[in-house]
Amino acid sequence: REVSLAYRSFCAIARCHDGRDPRETSLTGKVLARLGLSQPMQLIPWAYGEGKEWAKMADLAPLCLEGAAEGDKVCAEIIGECTTALAGSVAALRRRLFGGEGAPPIVLVGGLVSAENPLARGLQEKLRTHGDLRGSEIIRPRSEAVLGAAAMAQKWGQRRNREDRC
């Protein structure tokens, strides 16, 4: 998700810079400032430099969320594209695993979908309205997954102790 968001951000910066997209975007300044660059053309060697890891690009994804929250239409469009793709992936997975049976819950955990931001809100809306996913409960845990796993283990252990005493 984060890589796709950052990659699409890079593409949008290039389109706005070279004139294929006549709009202005705050994304250009945000990304250049984060990377310590002064010109959009410097993004090409940065992105394709030797030893570049995708995680470095993914680190830039929150800048698109920031721009969207500030009203940047280019950023909002990128987020819309990503949420549509994510909802499509979830729908395909649901069809593959469950066929037409029921509407299993969808749990949003990890990365950018765990926080309150335009991506998480957009994804929830797309999941609610996607034809194959209607009726699925969307769950946003209130704590980290590891804490939930620890709580479940603790409950399981307590239950087991009670059973052993009987």
Side-chain angles (χ1 to χ4, degrees):
R1 293 174 303 267
E2 289 87 355
V3 171
S4 179
L5 193 58
Y7 173 76
R8 289 172 193 247
S9 295
F10 266 59
C11 292
I13 290 169
R15 284 191 307 274
C16 291
H17 177 69
D18 68 19
R20 288 177 286 156
D21 186 336
R23 299 177 291 177
E24 293 286 322
T25 178
S26 63
L27 204 48
T28 304
K30 291 176 185 301
V31 170
L32 292 176
R34 173 73 61 87
L35 299 177
L37 304 175
S38 58
Q39 296 294 319
M41 292 300 290
Q42 293 173 304
L43 291 171
I44 296 168
W46 182 89
Y48 294 101
E50 198 168 319
K52 184 61 63 197
E53 297 174 17
W54 282 108
K56 297 282 187 207
M57 187 175 281
D59 288 343
L60 302 173
L63 299 176
C64 187
L65 301 179
E66 191 178 292
E70 295 167 354
D72 186 312
K73 301 243 185 280
V74 172
C75 293
E77 191 175 286
I78 293 166
I79 290 169
E81 293 167 0
C82 287
T83 56
T84 297
L86 279 169
S89 294
V90 171
L93 182 63
R94 182 212 169 273
R95 283 189 304 273
R96 179 85 169 166
L97 294 177
F98 301 99
E101 302 296 319
I106 299 168
V107 181
L108 300 179
V109 293
L112 299 175
V113 298
S114 293
E116 183 59 36
N117 61 54
L119 179 74
R121 285 189 299 274
L123 179 58
Q124 285 180 68
E125 180 60 29
K126 295 272 173 74
L127 292 172
R128 277 191 208 98
T129 59
H130 194 289
D132 287 343
L133 301 171
R134 283 198 187 106
S136 289
E137 178 184 9
I138 299 169
I139 300 169
R140 291 188 69 199
R142 293 184 205 137
S143 61
E144 294 290 323
V146 69
L147 296 176
M152 287 174 67
Q154 182 180 23
K155 285 181 184 179
W156 180 80
Q158 289 170 345
R159 196 173 321 130
R160 181 123 190 222
N161 283 340
R162 279 188 295 235
E163 291 170 1
D164 288 346
R165 282 187 254 157
C166 293

